[in-house]
Amino acid sequence: MRQTSTAPRNNKLKPSSNLIMNGSVRVRVIRTLLAIQNGQSLSSVLDPLLNSLHDGDKGFAHALLLTTLRQWHALARLLDTLADNPIDEVEVRTTIQVGLVQLLYLEVADHAAIHETVEAAKEIEFAHSTGLVNAILRKVAKNPSKFRKKCDKKHSLPNWLAYQLKQDWSEQYDELTQGLRQPAPMFLRVNSAVTSVEDYQHALDGAEIDADIVELTTGFKVANSPESATPTTLLTKGLRLHQSTAVNALPEFALGVASVQDMHAQLAAPIINKALMAKLSAENNSANDTDSDIDESNNELHILDACAAPGGKLAHWLELISANDESSLFHVKQDDAETSPVTADIKVTAIDNEAPRIERIRENLQRLNLSQHDLQQADNSIALNIVCADATRWQHGKNKKAATNEPVFDAILLDSPCTATGVIRRHPDISILRTEEDIEQTALLQADILHNLWPQLKAGGYLLYVTCSILKQENVEQMQDFITHHNDAVAIEFTEECSWGIEQAVGRQCLPIDSASGDGFYYALLQKQGLG
């Protein structure tokens, strides 16, 4: 979902993505905040900010920017109580909020915080406000603990979002709204085709990087027929670092041994991979029971990763497929232990609708040695096709003469566009850029994608619906509506074996407040039934 916002009032600077960062560190942070309020994302302006600074200033600038964003709405409410008259100039408000963060959260010395912030007001050509800036900051500096408590007392979200979370998660509301204003931990996914989580933890120890192993158990029932279902479980392991670390300090990161990926995001590929393996095993066993030859088509699997950028879940799935262990689709064993594993040719299609994002996918796969060239060199019968296309309209084979919206995929991973409210801890600009209207627009977009992709899934195939949202309209309500309008869609039940998430009417919801400390993700697994 594109990030949108209303442009701030009286914004004289109107910073752009090409803004040349000049002036003091605080001035550059203020200009960056103004750019975000004008609709630019944090990801698009953070690197230009940091690259414009000397190494010794980067840490302070990063902390000042991110902390100001995380406390943005709480600071705005505090500022309204501190001013005798409304402050309408967005540059002045932003400057004061940057000063407040220094006093309340970063423990910058009073004289430095006040003096440098007043000077920043002059640099951005708002010298007429210096008296106001000075007066408010001095007032707060006299009793910072009092104002810190006042700022921390309530949430730091836009009111519309806080209201919606209260409606959706009344029991978890207080913990959730406070949790969203905290930094998120850094997680690593270890490439299981290369090494184990335990071995990589040892490598981190050798580099003096502390990390804990996090284990998440997933249980669900695979529907073999309308009358029966088979329970299945899987264990997902990741690493949670005690402190965030630059990736170039991680052992063999450039060689593709590990990737940065949230723990709850690491559930996606194992779930859809396990579901597909269960489907293949059931089909193979059914063929044996009837003394039938296994159809050659069963030896060719076609899977789709929709909305695939930046490619983390796609890479994880390819790692699992390539691994020489029980997670590989090349080694689906039948119940008869004496029967040889059934191998398959696997066609992987990944789509996303923006060329720069497609390039991100290619770059990430290249680092992980999972490009099409790498897969061919490994001689493991995986064909990878990355397509720039709109998931609301794209149909497989649409450029071929016989192209129709026909079922071709055995499994689909849909990492659906969403408002990304579940990752506000990592992207605090979301609370500024998102609007209430975005929810309805996003839900309509999700429905369009689902309606386009579902006919392309084979009977018996699986679709895993994933979002990084914590809003029910984009998640469980979207799934309930979809199932209501598609008689061939059956929700696969997640069982009590699951050690993550909260059970929903359909699927499970992770909130960024559980013991794993992962982000807010929603998962629903659907199977397509043959009708008639």
Side-chain angles (χ1 to χ4, degrees):
M1 183 67 185
R2 291 183 182 275
Q3 295 180 330
T4 58
S5 71
T6 302
R9 293 168 290 175
N10 303 320
N11 191 346
K12 202 172 146 185
L13 291 177
K14 297 191 181 300
S16 70
S17 58
N18 297 320
L19 177 68
I20 299 175
M21 294 291 182
N22 293 314
S24 68
V25 174
R26 291 165 178 81
V27 165
R28 300 181 198 204
V29 170
I30 290 168
R31 286 175 172 161
T32 304
L33 288 165
L34 291 171
I36 291 171
Q37 291 172 82
N38 269 309
Q40 295 187 53
S41 67
L42 174 63
S43 60
S44 70
V45 296
L46 181 58
D47 283 346
L49 168 65
L50 298 180
N51 292 338
S52 75
L53 297 168
H54 298 296
D55 289 345
D57 292 327
K58 290 181 180 181
F60 174 68
H62 188 272
L64 183 56
L65 176 62
L66 271 291
T67 307
T68 304
L69 288 171
R70 288 193 176 101
Q71 312 303 333
W72 184 262
H73 297 281
L75 290 168
R77 296 183 189 102
L78 176 62
L79 177 55
D80 289 338
T81 68
L82 292 169
D84 294 331
N85 298 301
I87 303 174
D88 291 328
E89 292 171 310
V90 68
E91 294 88 351
V92 178
R93 293 186 65 89
T94 303
T95 300
I96 296 174
Q97 287 182 224
V98 166
L100 291 173
V101 165
Q102 296 171 66
L103 294 171
L104 301 181
Y105 293 97
L106 299 185
E107 298 181 351
V108 176
D110 295 355
H111 66 278
I114 296 170
H115 174 74
E116 294 298 331
T117 305
V118 169
E119 290 301 307
K122 296 177 184 177
E123 282 192 66
I124 64 170
E125 300 179 9
F126 277 78
H128 68 273
S129 69
T130 56
L132 176 64
V133 174
N134 183 70
I136 289 178
L137 295 184
R138 286 189 178 280
K139 181 178 181 179
V140 172
K142 290 179 180 178
N143 195 346
S145 61
K146 167 190 171 183
F147 291 104
R148 169 71 183 263
K149 290 178 182 178
K150 189 173 183 180
C151 202
D152 289 346
K153 188 175 182 180
K154 295 184 179 181
H155 61 81
S156 187
L157 297 169
N159 287 329
W160 68 265
L161 180 55
Y163 174 80
Q164 191 58 55
L165 293 179
K166 183 74 170 179
Q167 299 300 305
D168 288 351
W169 306 105
S170 58
E171 293 183 12
Q172 298 86 4
Y173 174 77
D174 290 335
E175 185 180 3
L176 179 58
T177 54
Q178 288 299 318
L180 287 173
R181 67 199 294 184
Q182 306 302 321
M186 181 175 176
F187 292 94
L188 299 179
R189 183 188 80 244
V190 177
N191 188 342
S192 58
V194 177
T195 189
S196 68
V197 172
E198 291 78 8
D199 285 346
Y200 195 72
Q201 185 187 37
H202 291 318
L204 290 174
D205 287 341
E208 298 184 343
I209 299 172
D210 294 327
D212 297 322
I213 295 177
V214 179
E215 298 183 347
L216 298 179
T217 302
T218 302
F220 56 88
K221 293 183 178 180
V222 178
N224 299 321
S225 69
E227 296 81 24
S228 66
T230 302
T232 186
T233 60
L234 63 129
L235 182 66
T236 303
K237 292 183 179 182
L239 290 166
R240 180 175 56 212
L241 303 189
H242 291 188
Q243 291 185 333
S244 294
T245 303
V247 293
N248 57 14
L250 299 173
E252 298 185 299
F253 183 84
L255 300 178
V257 177
S259 299
V260 178
Q261 187 178 39
D262 180 75
M263 194 63 220
H264 288 155
Q266 293 184 42
L267 292 166
I271 291 175
I272 188 64
N273 193 62
K274 187 74 171 181
L276 183 53
M277 291 176 69
K279 170 182 179 289
L280 295 178
S281 180
E283 289 174 350
N284 294 336
N285 289 329
S286 176
N288 287 335
D289 290 343
T290 58
D291 295 325
S292 300
D293 292 332
I294 298 176
D295 194 319
E296 289 185 1
S297 63
N298 286 342
N299 290 338
E300 181 177 281
L301 297 174
H302 202 163
I303 61 181
L304 172 67
D305 185 345
C307 309
K313 297 178 181 67
L314 171 64
H316 194 185
W317 202 354
L318 289 172
E319 289 170 1
L320 294 176
I321 294 171
S322 303
N324 189 25
D325 59 22
E326 67 278 2
S327 67
S328 175
L329 289 171
F330 291 108
H331 301 284
V332 177
K333 293 185 178 181
Q334 302 170 41
D335 287 347
D336 184 353
E338 297 180 357
T339 305
S340 299
V342 176
T343 60
D345 292 328
I346 301 173
K347 296 182 178 181
V348 182
T349 301
I351 66 172
D352 206 273
N353 68 343
E354 295 183 6
R357 290 168 61 81
I358 290 290
E359 187 58 31
R360 284 281 309 281
I361 296 175
R362 297 187 190 280
E363 290 172 357
N364 286 332
L365 294 182
Q366 187 75 33
R367 181 184 67 83
L368 293 166
N369 303 308
L370 292 169
S371 68
Q372 180 56 61
H373 174 74
D374 296 319
L375 296 172
Q376 288 175 338
Q377 291 291 104
D379 192 28
N380 53 16
S381 301
I382 301 176
L384 173 63
N385 185 29
I386 302 174
V387 181
C388 186
D390 183 347
T392 63
R393 296 191 299 269
W394 176 82
Q395 295 179 16
H396 178 263
K398 67 178 181 180
N399 295 322
K400 300 177 182 178
K401 291 182 179 179
T404 60
N405 201 6
E406 295 178 348
V408 63
F409 295 108
D410 295 277
I412 297 175
L413 170 58
L414 173 54
D415 189 5
S416 183
C418 67
T419 55
T421 47
V423 295
I424 285 177
R425 297 182 307 169
R426 300 185 191 280
H427 304 281
D429 55 319
I430 289 170
S431 70
I432 295 176
L433 296 172
R434 291 291 179 265
T435 67
E436 190 170 4
E437 292 73 25
D438 286 336
I439 306 175
E440 185 65 32
Q441 294 172 6
T442 304
L444 292 173
L445 175 61
Q446 293 171 337
D448 287 344
I449 293 173
L450 283 164
H451 292 317
N452 181 55
L453 296 183
W454 187 252
Q456 300 181 62
L457 182 67
K458 293 179 183 177
Y462 290 91
L463 183 148
L464 181 64
Y465 178 81
V466 186
T467 78
C468 57
S469 171
I470 51 177
L471 300 176
K472 291 190 175 183
Q473 186 174 348
E474 300 175 279
N475 297 338
V476 61
E477 293 173 9
Q478 180 73 264
M479 285 292 93
Q480 288 176 306
D481 182 71
F482 182 79
I483 292 170
T484 298
H485 291 91
H486 292 79
N487 294 333
D488 57 350
V490 175
I492 298 301
E493 176 188 353
F494 286 102
T495 67
E496 294 181 355
E497 296 286 338
C498 285
S499 63
W500 53 270
I502 301 171
E503 182 181 7
Q504 303 293 285
V506 179
R508 292 184 76 86
Q509 177 73 58
C510 299
L511 297 178
I513 54 175
D514 68 7
S515 58
S517 304
D519 287 331
F521 274 84
Y522 172 79
Y523 287 94
L525 182 62
L526 305 181
Q527 186 176 35
K528 189 173 187 179
Q529 301 295 302
L531 298 179

